[in-house]
Amino acid sequence: MTTNTAYSATAPERAEIDALQEPAVVEFGANWCGYCQGAQPLIAAAFARHPEVRHIRVEDGKGRKLGRSFGVKLWPTLIFLKEGKEVARLVRPANAEAIAEALGRIDRNA
């Protein structure tokens, strides 16, 4: 698994996300967002226990189609996917345990 250090300005198409077969988390945010920066240690701690889960970090904002297709309104928003289907969502997560629990729902090795 590769964890990006910044939100990618280039977002995959929604069809690519829907076609994912491996467990994945799409994280929406912005590099300048204070809430996003504050959540990074929690997200990193939770992902450390689930290294096989794909982590896709996407820059979101006005006119960004992928975030709109998921109904993202606040950052960071984490969408937990199993076989391309949303099974959990966390908005502005406040603790690593909530993230880890959601990861456990999609991680086939948990």
Side-chain angles (χ1 to χ4, degrees):
M1 179 206 72
T2 302
T3 300
N4 300 325
T5 57
Y7 292 98
S8 174
T10 305
E13 293 293 324
R14 177 64 190 251
E16 291 177 64
I17 299 296
D18 292 342
L20 291 173
Q21 291 304 300
E22 72 268 19
V25 175
V26 182
E27 178 186 344
F28 292 95
N31 293 319
W32 51 264
C33 168
Y35 290 105
C36 301
Q37 293 167 6
Q40 291 314 304
L42 304 174
I43 294 168
F47 267 93
R49 295 178 273 177
H50 299 274
E52 57 288 323
V53 174
R54 185 171 174 190
H55 187 188
I56 304 165
R57 299 183 76 218
V58 177
E59 185 177 53
D60 191 40
K62 188 175 181 178
R64 302 286 180 140
K65 291 193 294 185
L66 187 61
R68 301 301 65 77
S69 75
F70 278 102
V72 172
K73 296 187 189 302
L74 296 172
W75 304 325
T77 293
L78 287 79
I79 310 287
F80 297 80
L81 304 166
K82 188 172 191 171
E83 297 178 358
K85 305 283 187 261
E86 181 177 340
V87 297
R89 175 183 295 231
L90 290 174
V91 179
R92 293 189 178 167
N95 60 63
E97 292 76 29
I99 302 166
E101 191 238 311
L103 282 166
R105 292 179 62 191
I106 64 170
D107 186 355
R108 51 185 155 229
N109 297 318

